[in-house]
Amino acid sequence: MNTDFHTLFHLLTSKTNSKGLAPIYMRLTVAKKRLEYSITRRIDPKRWNSKQQKVIGKDRDAIEINNHINNLKHKLYKIHQQKIDEDDRITAISLMNALKGGGKKSKYLLEIFLDHNNRTDTLAGKDISLSTAKRYWTCYDHVKQFIEEEYKQEDLRLRDIDNRFIVKFEFFLKTVRKCNHNSALKYINNLKKIIRIALANQWMDIDPFYNYKVQYETVEREFLNTEEVDALYYKELHVDRLRLVRDMFIFSCYTGLAYSDVAKLTKSDIVIGLDGGKWIRIKRTKTNTLSSIPLLPIAEEIIERYSDHPEVKINNHIIPVLSNQKSNAFLKEIAIMCGIEKPLTTHLARHTFATTITLTNGVPIESVSKMLGHKSLRTTQHYAKIVDRKVSEDMSVLREKLNNKSIKKQK
């Protein structure tokens, strides 16, 4: 199919006005299809050279109109070449729409990213966690810096984003931003959501993530063993702030709740379960999934310990908590006092619940997954690794059974 275009600039004398000036029109032809377009200029028909398709003379009006005609030709050639490069359909209508600004406007990555993040902020604390919303803004900053440094531009058209962009961005995150492998891939996934939005809205034709594989590295999760948990629990602490943080940490060890969930836990989240005992029922801040956790004696004891605390009475909370930043700082002090060399953080308590408190004591992984509020068993397996002691105990039971069977056979 012939996609060449032809233009003809001519006067429409039938529309000559009272001053004797006729409008100049451009006739655009593609594959024998014609469109007429007013260039919003008028001239005395006596001054029009129909053969050269321009105004006669070198006065200001003649120069301005002739320059305008040349600019329109130049724009059309540029639009035509762009459509050829993009393998886009070329018609008289598509060329005219693009010339008039009515064609498909280019969308830009940071523009779409910014709109997404603003919308996400309105859902923060409702449909998504505050930390997730914050992470998208961090990713936005990384992408912005990457575009400025790699492409020397303020923003980048979506159509210019390809697989090479993704690969280079991953390298940028690991080298310039000093992200570890898994952190870099998490930011890549944040970007992937923005690309999915663009593809769904048909702002992009090709998925730059096609054939790009995300492979997270296995991370060995730290957790406390039974002796370390006991060392923390029984340690005499004479500073209120340290006792408070220690008790909050132990409470998390025996409930599996993340810091954000402990911080928002109220009395209404404590219910009577089917077994007649007290249970915690709470929607997790991070995933909005329901966690159902029977209260173990030590967790109940900690709740009772702070029942008369002013903050508990005023805010209806279960236990008072300090900020996550302060809690982590104080936990490092407590670890030194208890002779624990592992890097204590509030989230380490959740890992400890999954591994030392539950799985090591024979709680099925399916039950642990439900208590942790995980959406899939795979996530639980990632968090909770059965310690060697549990494997040793299980194998000892098997060994004893096999020995007994061997003895009976000998008899």
Side-chain angles (χ1 to χ4, degrees):
M1 180 180 177
N2 186 4
T3 58
D4 291 340
F5 72 94
H6 303 280
T7 57
L8 174 67
F9 292 87
H10 64 97
L11 297 184
L12 202 61
T13 54
S14 62
K15 291 188 177 183
T16 302
N17 63 14
S18 58
K19 295 180 180 180
L21 303 177
I24 303 173
Y25 272 71
M26 179 186 73
R27 180 181 297 158
L28 176 63
T29 306
V30 178
K32 298 183 181 180
K33 299 289 184 180
R34 294 178 177 179
L35 283 178
E36 296 280 341
Y37 169 61
S38 170
I39 71 168
T40 67
R41 301 291 190 276
R42 288 177 178 269
I43 193 68
D44 183 341
K46 295 176 183 178
R47 300 188 59 191
W48 180 253
N49 186 324
S50 58
K51 187 174 182 180
Q52 295 184 356
Q53 300 178 44
K54 68 177 186 177
V55 180
I56 301 169
K58 294 185 178 180
D59 59 283
R60 199 164 99 182
D61 286 347
I63 292 173
E64 192 278 327
I65 292 174
N66 289 336
N67 283 340
H68 183 53
I69 290 172
N70 288 333
N71 285 337
L72 288 173
K73 289 179 181 178
H74 177 72
K75 285 182 179 178
L76 274 172
Y77 280 116
K78 193 173 180 179
I79 292 168
H80 183 260
Q81 186 59 49
Q82 185 177 341
K83 287 187 174 294
I84 290 174
D85 293 343
E86 296 175 356
D87 198 24
D88 198 0
R89 190 183 178 199
I90 299 173
T91 65
I93 293 176
S94 68
L95 290 178
M96 192 68 80
N97 282 341
L99 181 67
K100 289 163 35 176
K104 184 189 289 185
K105 181 183 175 183
S106 293
K107 290 283 188 178
Y108 287 79
L109 176 59
L110 292 178
E111 170 193 354
I112 304 303
F113 213 143
L114 187 64
D115 180 66
H116 166 272
N117 286 5
N118 287 330
R119 291 174 182 271
T120 299
D121 279 352
T122 63
L123 299 174
K126 301 173 185 174
D127 289 351
I128 64 170
S129 68
L130 293 171
S131 60
T132 299
K134 184 179 179 181
R135 187 172 187 84
Y136 274 111
W137 280 113
T138 304
C139 183
Y140 171 87
D141 291 337
H142 291 335
V143 174
K144 187 173 186 293
Q145 182 185 351
F146 171 66
I147 291 173
E148 289 172 352
E149 295 185 9
E150 180 69 26
Y151 296 89
K152 311 302 180 188
Q153 297 183 44
E154 293 183 357
D155 204 345
L156 205 63
R157 294 184 306 179
L158 290 172
R159 69 178 63 170
D160 294 329
I161 296 172
D162 53 14
N163 186 267
R164 288 178 68 249
F165 176 94
I166 308 300
V167 173
K168 284 183 176 181
F169 181 54
E170 180 184 338
F171 183 76
F172 167 83
L173 289 171
K174 292 178 178 179
T175 55
V176 178
R177 298 308 308 172
K178 308 297 183 185
C179 296
N180 64 39
H181 179 76
N182 285 358
S183 292
L185 293 191
K186 286 178 182 178
Y187 287 124
I188 294 288
N189 272 337
N190 290 147
L191 173 62
K192 191 173 184 179
K193 183 185 177 185
I194 307 303
I195 297 301
R196 285 202 305 268
I197 291 172
L199 290 168
N201 284 278
Q202 298 183 343
W203 297 328
M204 299 177 74
D205 298 320
I206 300 173
D207 183 0
F209 281 96
Y210 183 72
N211 280 338
Y212 178 85
K213 303 297 182 185
V214 173
Q215 188 68 45
Y216 288 101
E217 292 178 350
T218 302
V219 177
E220 292 295 328
R221 300 285 184 179
E222 285 277 17
F223 56 88
L224 299 185
N225 58 36
T226 303
E227 291 77 13
E228 290 165 331
V229 173
D230 288 343
L232 274 174
Y233 180 67
Y234 291 110
K235 181 67 177 177
E236 285 289 337
L237 299 173
H238 303 290
V239 181
D240 289 344
R241 61 180 172 83
L242 297 183
R243 279 201 304 272
L244 179 60
V245 170
R246 185 269 310 276
D247 290 344
M248 180 271 292
F249 182 87
I250 293 295
F251 182 79
S252 291
C253 284
Y254 282 89
T255 59
L257 292 177
Y259 167 84
S260 57
D261 297 322
V262 175
K264 73 175 185 180
L265 197 64
T266 64
K267 294 176 181 177
S268 61
D269 296 317
I270 306 295
V271 299
I272 302 301
L274 294 173
D275 57 2
K278 292 180 180 179
W279 286 52
I280 293 175
R281 291 195 192 278
I282 185 175
K283 280 196 172 182
R284 288 207 61 214
T285 302
K286 184 178 180 181
T287 60
N288 202 37
T289 54
L290 183 66
S291 285
S292 299
I293 310 151
L295 270 178
L296 295 172
I298 289 180
E300 279 199 69
E301 179 189 315
I302 292 172
I303 291 174
E304 182 60 32
R305 186 180 303 168
Y306 289 95
S307 60
D308 292 327
H309 193 281
E311 187 179 326
V312 170
K313 288 187 173 182
I314 294 171
N315 299 319
N316 198 37
H317 287 166
I318 294 298
I319 60 173
V321 295
L322 303 181
S323 71
N324 197 27
Q325 185 178 8
K326 286 183 179 179
S327 296
N328 285 329
F330 296 156
L331 280 171
K332 288 174 176 55
E333 283 187 49
I334 298 169
I336 294 172
M337 296 170 67
C338 294
I340 297 173
E341 296 182 358
K342 294 171 183 174
L344 285 193
T345 64
T346 55
H347 207 65
L348 191 70
R350 187 167 164 82
H351 303 161
T352 300
F353 172 80
T355 308
T356 303
I357 305 301
T358 54
L359 287 174
T360 300
N361 288 303
V363 178
I365 194 168
E366 294 82 3
S367 298
V368 176
S369 183
K370 183 174 177 59
M371 287 188 285
L372 290 174
H374 287 163
K375 292 182 177 180
S376 72
L377 202 59
R378 183 183 299 176
T379 307
T380 314
Q381 291 168 335
H382 178 70
Y383 263 90
K385 297 182 182 300
I386 302 176
V387 293
D388 291 341
R389 180 183 298 175
K390 175 61 179 172
V391 174
S392 176
E393 289 174 355
D394 290 342
M395 292 304 290
S396 293
V397 173
L398 175 60
R399 188 179 293 109
E400 188 177 345
K401 286 182 179 179
L402 293 176
N403 285 338
N404 291 337
K405 187 175 181 180
S406 177
I407 291 171
K408 287 180 181 179
K409 189 175 182 180
Q410 291 176 4
K411 289 180 179 179

